[in-house]
Amino acid sequence: MKSIFLLILKTRASVCISSVIFISCLLLVATGSPILGNPVLKDSTFPIGTIISWAGLIALLNTTYLVFNKNGYSHQSSFRLLRLAFQSMLILASAWGLIGFLLAGNWAFTFQNQDEFRGSIEASQYFVAYTVAIVLVPVFLLLVAWFTSPASADL
């Protein structure tokens, strides 16, 4: 009994920490904070905004996945596919910065009108679609889990 109680406390703490990280990152990005353009190291071209955005995406995925787990959905065999989808999205979010770098050719994720695909406007469209999918798919999966759960049938 004590171990279950500790597990619940750890899960709640993890959800809270992930949520705080996500909201902090969201506020910094949404307000266009000047810190976003500062380089991580003095002479680098790697902006802090990339790390903040990356951390925010991972925190969003982590928060939705922990809520999915906390509500007991992950332990039901009917939600096995949703659990796999959440885990896949967490991997995709973890790779977001690397994919962005491969598409943009730089860590600032700036795209220009050019003939080569890498760093082009066409590559930016793929990057935006990838980013939007990372944000919307977990929310959609959580809604699917919520509406298909036996508890929602009572509503």
Side-chain angles (χ1 to χ4, degrees):
M1 182 71 168
K2 184 178 180 180
S3 64
I4 293 172
F5 179 71
L6 289 175
L7 181 65
I8 291 171
L9 283 178
K10 286 180 184 178
T11 303
R12 282 188 182 180
S14 297
V15 169
C16 289
I17 291 168
S18 268
S19 297
V20 166
I21 292 170
F22 170 67
I23 291 169
S24 299
C25 293
L26 181 65
L27 286 173
L28 286 169
V29 171
T31 59
S33 175
I35 194 172
L36 299 174
N38 293 345
V40 173
L41 300 172
K42 187 176 180 180
D43 295 327
S44 78
T45 58
F46 193 0
I48 292 175
T50 299
I51 293 175
I52 290 172
S53 299
W54 204 345
L57 288 173
I58 292 171
L60 170 65
L61 260 296
N62 196 39
T63 301
T64 55
Y65 184 65
L66 288 171
V67 167
F68 175 76
N69 277 340
K70 184 178 166 235
N71 288 328
Y73 299 132
S74 66
H75 304 298
Q76 299 174 15
S77 61
S78 59
F79 290 105
R80 187 174 299 149
L81 186 60
L82 283 175
R83 184 176 61 242
L84 179 63
F86 268 114
Q87 291 167 345
S88 299
M89 291 305 298
L90 191 55
I91 291 167
L92 290 173
S94 298
W96 176 82
L98 298 174
I99 299 292
F101 178 78
L102 291 174
L103 288 170
N106 58 68
W107 287 109
F109 304 147
T110 55
F111 297 89
Q112 301 168 358
N113 194 7
Q114 59 189 33
D115 291 334
E116 183 184 355
F117 177 76
R118 188 174 188 188
S120 69
I121 300 299
E122 184 181 359
S124 75
Q125 294 169 344
Y126 286 102
F127 179 67
V128 168
Y130 182 70
T131 304
V132 168
I134 288 174
V135 171
L136 294 182
V137 168
V139 174
F140 174 75
L141 292 173
L142 197 59
L143 289 173
V144 166
W146 186 52
F147 283 121
T148 58
S149 72
S152 69
D154 298 334
L155 297 178

